[in-house]
């Protein structure tokens, strides 16, 4: 079963200076970050928190569902 941890984004979810305090860090290609505003805080398999915009929260869900395959 896939597990998800998604909640509304709060700036306090991240340390000072972290990119997730100002933009979506779940999306992008590693070179060009997503410029979208953060809307959610998501947690990856290693228990790290990332900011996700409304568009990229769907890619987070898709990524987590791969655990069910």
């Amino acid at each position: 079963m896939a597990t998800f941890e998604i909640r509304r984004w709060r700036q306090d979810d991240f340390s000072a200076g972290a990119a997730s305090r100002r933009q979506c860090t779940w999306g992008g290609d590693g070179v060009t970050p997503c410029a979208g505003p953060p809307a959610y805080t998501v947690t990856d398999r290693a228990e790290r928190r990332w900011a996700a915009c409304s568009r990229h929260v769907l890619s987070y869900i898709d990524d987590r569902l791969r655990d069910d395959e």
Side-chain angles (χ1 to χ4, degrees), residues 36-57:
Y40 302 97
T41 297
V42 299
T43 303
D44 68 12
R45 289 173 187 84
E47 302 297 319
R48 293 176 300 225
R49 292 177 297 197
W50 300 81
C53 65
S54 294
R55 189 176 109 214
H56 285 114
V57 74

Side-chain angles (χ1 to χ4, degrees), residues 11-61:
Q11 195 175 44
D12 293 341
D13 288 340
F14 306 96
S15 59
S20 290
R21 286 179 65 101
R22 61 185 176 281
Q23 70 188 61
C24 170
T25 52
W26 187 261
D29 61 10
V31 175
T32 307
C34 174
Y40 302 97
T41 297
V42 299
T43 303
D44 68 12
R45 289 173 187 84
E47 302 297 319
R48 293 176 300 225
R49 292 177 297 197
W50 300 81
C53 65
S54 294
R55 189 176 109 214
H56 285 114
V57 74
L58 297 175
S59 65
Y60 169 77
I61 293 168

